[in-house]
Amino acid sequence: MVGKVLGIKDLEQFSSRRSSVYVDPECDKFFELPLFIAASSNDITTKCQCWQFSPGKEPALRSHTEIQQLLQQGKKRDVKNILRENSWPINSPIRSQLWPTLCGQHQTKQQMLDGFYWEMVHQVFGTTELSEKPIMLPAFVDATHCLPYHLTSTGRAVADRIVNVLGYDCPDITYSPVLYPITSILLHFMSEEEAYICLAGLVGSKEKVFINQTKLQHEVTWKTVMQIAKKHTKSAISYFQRICPGLKLERVFMDWCWWILAGLPFQHLVRIMDCYFHEGIKVLYRVALVILNLFHKECQSNNEWSPDNIKNDIGNALIKFCKKIPVSPAKLLHAAFSIRGLSTQYISRIFIKTEMLLKSRSVLNSGSKQLIKSRSSDNLPTSQSQVNIQMMSHTLTIREKLHSESCRNLGEKSPGHRAIAMGVYPIHNLKSQVCTNEDLFTLWSWLPVRITMYQPVLLYTTEEHGCSLTTFYVRVEQHEPTLLMIKTCNNEVFGAYCSSRWFERNVKDDKGQRQAYFGTGETFLFSLYPERAKYPWVGIEGDKDLGHSSELFMAADSKMITIGGGEGQAIWMDENIRFGKTDSCKTFNNPPLCPSGDFEIRVLEVYGFVGI
C-alpha cells in the first residue's frame, strides 16, 4: 500500500487533524509511526508497517464521506464490511470524522445543542477553565485501570473531566471500568467536546451494548466470554486446566477486557475501535477468543510461555503476551471475524441466560427465605399462606363474577385485600418506569393466584435493551407467562398478561405451517391509566358458540406482535417497538386501550417470574 508524499501545508493539515494537543508528541515513536521532516517540500518520509509514504497512487481506502452516505442510506452491513477490511493507518485523519459519525448513530437522545457540554462542565466544576489540581474521579471508575495511552498531563486532566461530567449526566452508571480507557483513546483523535458526545452515544445506545454500566452487567459480560470460550477455544481452556489443575477460570476471565485494553499495542487497539464503535462489544468478544487461541499456540512452541512460566498467573501472562502479540492488526481482525457460529443471537442467548441466573441467585440470596420455604416439591406454593390466599381469591372471584360488567365498563378502582395481603412481598422491590406502586398492587390482584407467589424479574425494557423486536424475542420468548406493560408518549398505561411463550409463534401444525395465533384463555388485557380496568377472555364465564374470533389470544412474527383479535386487534406493535395501535376485539370484548387508538411507545417493560 502506498501514499503520496506530503508537502509542508499538507503536513500541517495532517498534524492538526490527527494530532491532539492532549497526546504526548513522543508517542508516535512509541507507536512506530512515520516521522515527518518538513524542512522543504521535497522531504521524504520514513517507512512504516501501517502506511508507506512514497510517490504513486492514493491508498485504496474508503473515505469518511462514502461511509457517511452509506449510513444515511441505512446500509449498515456495507459499513461493517468496510470497517473490517479498510486498514487505515493509525495516524490517519479520517478518525477525527469517522469515529464521531459511528458513535453518533447510536445516540438515542435528541441531538445535543451547541455548548451543552460546556454548560455541563460549568455546572459541575463552576468554571470551564481546566484546574491544575487533580480531579476526583467518580466512584464507577476503576482507579487501577485509568489507562492514559500516552496522553499528556493536560490530556489526562481532560479525560478526568469528561468522565466526571458523564457521571453527572448519567447517574445510572454505577460501575464502568472501561469507560476511562475509551475516553483516553478518543482524545487521540478529537476534541474534548467531541469525545464527550461520542461517549454519550455509546452509553445511551439501546440497540447494541458498548460499555457496561453496572457491576451486574460487568459480571455477566465476563462470564459470557468464559462460556463462549469454553465452546470456541476448547483446546486452550483444556490446556490451561491441565497445567494448572486447581485453576479457577473465573479468575482468568474476570480480566478479559484488559487483555485487549491494557495488553494490545495501540495500533491494534485503534483498528479494533474502528469496528467496535459500529458493531459494539461483540467485536471485543471475538478478539478475546483469538487472543486465547494465539496464546495457546505460542505456549506450545515458545519457551517464554512454557507451563512453568505461566502456571502461577495465567491472567497476567495473557496481558504480557498481548503486548508482544505476533500478528498484525489486520491479521488479528481477520481471525476474529472468521470465527464461525458466533452470531449476535447466540451471544445474546448466553448473555441473557447468565444474567437471569445471576439475578435469580441475587433474589434468592437477598433474604427471601419465605419465598423458598413456600415452594413444594412440585414448585407450587404450599403452607397455610396458600390456603389464606385461595380463600381471598375465592372471595375476589365471586366479586368479579357479580360485577363483571361494571369492572369492564368502569374499571376496578382498588386492588382490594388480595393485593395487600400477597402482592406487597413479590413486588415491593420493583422499580418500574411504567407503573406506580399503586398500579402494581392493582395489577398483582388481577394475576392468577399461583403466579403471585413468584418473584417477578424484568426480562426486557426499551430503556435498557433497545427498541427491537429481535431483542424482545431473544430475551422473552422462552418465558411463560409474561407480563407486558406499555407506557405511551401520552402517558397512557396498559398491557397484557400473556399465558404462553412467545416462542410458540414458531410452532408448526400437522401440515408444517406456522400457527397464526396461540395462547390460552388465561391471557387478559388491562388498562391502568387513564382508565383502570381488567379485560379477561370472553370465554372465561363458560359461554358457548363464541366462534373462532374469541380465541385469538397472541400472534407474532418478525414484523409485529399482536394480542387479541376478531374485528380488531387489542394491542399491536411494530418491529421497532415504537408505534402501535389498539382497537376493540372479540377475544376480550375490550374498548381501545387508549383514546386515540394509535400510540407511540415511550417505555415497554416485560416481566417474567423466577422459579416457574
Side-chain angles (χ1 to χ4, degrees), residues 25-40:
E26 294 297 311
C27 77
D28 278 2
K29 295 179 182 178
F30 179 80
F31 298 142
E32 298 181 0
L33 299 181
L35 303 178
F36 300 106
I37 305 172
S40 71

Side-chain angles (χ1 to χ4, degrees), residues 30-32 90 149 259-272 291 319-329 332:
F30 179 80
F31 298 142
E32 298 181 0
I90 190 176
Y149 300 115
W259 308 343
I260 301 168
L261 294 173
L264 289 177
F266 194 69
Q267 54 264 40
H268 289 68
L269 199 50
V270 170
R271 277 293 293 127
I272 290 169
I291 289 172
I319 294 178
K320 288 182 178 178
F321 166 76
C322 288
K323 292 180 184 293
K324 304 177 181 180
I325 196 160
V327 296
S328 67
L332 179 67

Side-chain angles (χ1 to χ4, degrees), residues 30-214:
F30 179 80
F31 298 142
E32 298 181 0
L33 299 181
L35 303 178
F36 300 106
I37 305 172
S40 71
S41 60
N42 296 321
D43 290 328
I44 300 175
T45 59
T46 62
K47 293 183 179 180
C48 171
Q49 291 179 347
C50 55
W51 194 358
Q52 178 182 348
F53 288 88
S54 61
K57 297 179 180 180
E58 294 280 355
L61 297 172
R62 294 295 190 95
S63 69
H64 167 256
T65 303
E66 290 176 288
I67 295 173
Q68 190 175 39
Q69 288 174 348
L70 289 172
L71 285 174
Q72 290 170 349
Q73 295 167 9
K75 297 180 178 179
K76 293 187 177 183
R77 183 178 293 274
D78 292 343
V79 172
K80 179 180 72 174
N81 293 332
I82 289 172
L83 295 172
R84 291 181 177 187
E85 296 168 2
N86 280 239
S87 294
W88 294 283
I90 190 176
N91 57 352
S92 171
I94 190 176
R95 291 186 179 88
S96 64
Q97 297 174 293
L98 177 64
W99 284 7
T101 298
L102 296 176
C103 296
Q105 68 178 316
H106 310 298
Q107 183 67 261
T108 54
K109 298 180 181 178
Q110 291 182 348
Q111 189 171 6
M112 291 185 188
L113 298 174
D114 290 342
F116 171 82
Y117 173 69
W118 295 110
E119 288 181 11
M120 291 289 292
V121 169
H122 193 275
Q123 211 170 341
V124 175
F125 296 101
T127 178
T128 56
E129 297 295 324
L130 191 62
S131 174
E132 295 181 359
K133 297 180 180 179
I135 299 173
M136 184 176 293
L137 293 170
F140 61 74
V141 172
D142 182 352
T144 61
H145 288 105
C146 291
L147 306 175
Y149 300 115
H150 294 267
L151 294 181
T152 62
S153 58
T154 300
R156 291 194 293 272
V158 167
D160 293 349
R161 183 160 70 175
I162 291 173
V163 169
N164 266 281
V165 173
L166 191 67
Y168 180 81
D169 189 35
C170 305
D172 291 338
I173 302 177
T174 56
Y175 186 72
S176 186
V178 304
L179 205 153
Y180 193 100
I182 291 175
T183 303
S184 298
I185 295 170
L186 288 169
L187 286 174
H188 275 260
F189 298 95
M190 62 191 70
S191 69
E192 177 178 356
E193 184 176 17
E194 288 172 324
Y196 174 82
I197 294 171
C198 285
L199 286 169
L202 299 178
V203 167
S205 173
K206 292 185 178 180
E207 289 188 5
K208 298 175 182 176
V209 176
F210 291 89
I211 298 174
N212 293 322
Q213 299 170 42
T214 66

Side-chain angles (χ1 to χ4, degrees), residues 446-448 450-451 476-484 495-504 517-526 536-537 540 551-555 562-564 587-588 606-609 612:
W446 293 339
L447 296 180
R450 72 184 190 283
I451 300 302
V476 171
E477 66 178 11
Q478 296 294 347
H479 293 267
E480 177 182 307
T482 52
L483 187 63
L484 277 67
Y497 171 83
C498 302
S499 60
S500 299
R501 295 184 304 162
W502 286 99
F503 181 77
E504 291 187 26
Y517 279 86
F518 51 93
T520 71
E522 204 172 40
T523 302
F524 67 82
L525 305 174
F526 61 85
W537 175 43
I540 203 164
E551 297 180 358
L552 306 178
F553 301 109
M554 301 160 61
T562 294
I563 301 168
T587 307
F588 301 105
V606 184
Y607 289 86
F609 300 87
I612 293 182

Side-chain angles (χ1 to χ4, degrees), residues 255-481:
D255 291 332
W256 78 279
C257 61
W258 306 121
W259 308 343
I260 301 168
L261 294 173
L264 289 177
F266 194 69
Q267 54 264 40
H268 289 68
L269 199 50
V270 170
R271 277 293 293 127
I272 290 169
M273 290 295 110
D274 288 340
C275 302
Y276 166 80
F277 289 141
H278 182 62
E279 298 183 54
I281 199 170
K282 69 175 185 179
V283 172
L284 305 187
Y285 289 175
R286 288 179 171 273
V287 171
L289 296 181
V290 174
I291 289 172
L292 283 173
N293 280 329
L294 287 173
F295 183 56
H296 176 226
K297 190 177 293 185
E298 286 291 307
C299 287
Q300 295 175 311
S301 60
N302 190 333
N303 289 333
E304 183 180 358
W305 312 111
S306 66
D308 290 337
N309 290 336
I310 70 171
K311 64 182 181 181
N312 293 327
D313 193 351
I314 291 178
N316 192 42
L318 272 163
I319 294 178
K320 288 182 178 178
F321 166 76
C322 288
K323 292 180 184 293
K324 304 177 181 180
I325 196 160
V327 296
S328 67
K331 287 186 177 179
L332 179 67
L333 285 178
H334 178 74
F337 295 123
S338 297
I339 299 173
R340 295 184 177 181
L342 201 58
S343 66
T344 301
Q345 190 174 31
Y346 165 74
I347 294 173
S348 296
R349 287 190 185 281
I350 293 185
F351 186 94
I352 293 164
K353 184 178 180 180
T354 306
E355 183 182 40
M356 295 297 297
L357 180 62
L358 289 177
K359 283 185 176 180
S360 299
R361 286 177 180 173
S362 175
V363 169
L364 296 177
N365 292 333
S366 62
S368 343
K369 294 181 180 179
Q370 295 176 354
L371 181 62
I372 298 171
K373 290 179 179 177
S374 69
R375 296 178 184 174
S376 66
S377 59
D378 62 354
N379 213 27
L380 288 174
T382 59
S383 79
Q384 185 61 36
S385 63
Q386 185 185 14
V387 176
N388 295 338
I389 291 167
Q390 288 174 339
M391 292 174 64
M392 293 176 199
S393 174
H394 177 67
T395 305
L396 184 62
T397 303
I398 294 172
R399 187 184 305 123
E400 286 177 340
K401 285 185 178 181
L402 291 174
H403 302 286
S404 60
E405 286 302 318
S406 60
C407 286
R408 180 170 292 149
N409 295 329
L410 301 176
E412 190 169 334
K413 303 299 180 183
S414 170
H417 297 290
R418 177 176 160 201
I420 296 172
M422 65 185 218
V424 177
Y425 174 71
I427 62 174
H428 76 286
N429 282 327
L430 286 191
K431 295 181 180 179
S432 172
Q433 300 295 315
V434 174
C435 292
T436 64
N437 286 340
E438 182 183 357
D439 288 336
L440 285 171
F441 292 153
T442 298
L443 186 52
W444 236 247
S445 73
W446 293 339
L447 296 180
V449 179
R450 72 184 190 283
I451 300 302
T452 58
M453 290 299 293
Y454 296 111
Q455 179 69 37
V457 59
L458 184 62
L459 302 175
Y460 171 85
T461 169
T462 51
E463 290 289 283
E464 182 178 347
H465 305 120
C467 302
S468 164
L469 199 52
T470 301
T471 307
F472 172 90
Y473 289 140
V474 168
R475 299 190 66 87
V476 171
E477 66 178 11
Q478 296 294 347
H479 293 267
E480 177 182 307

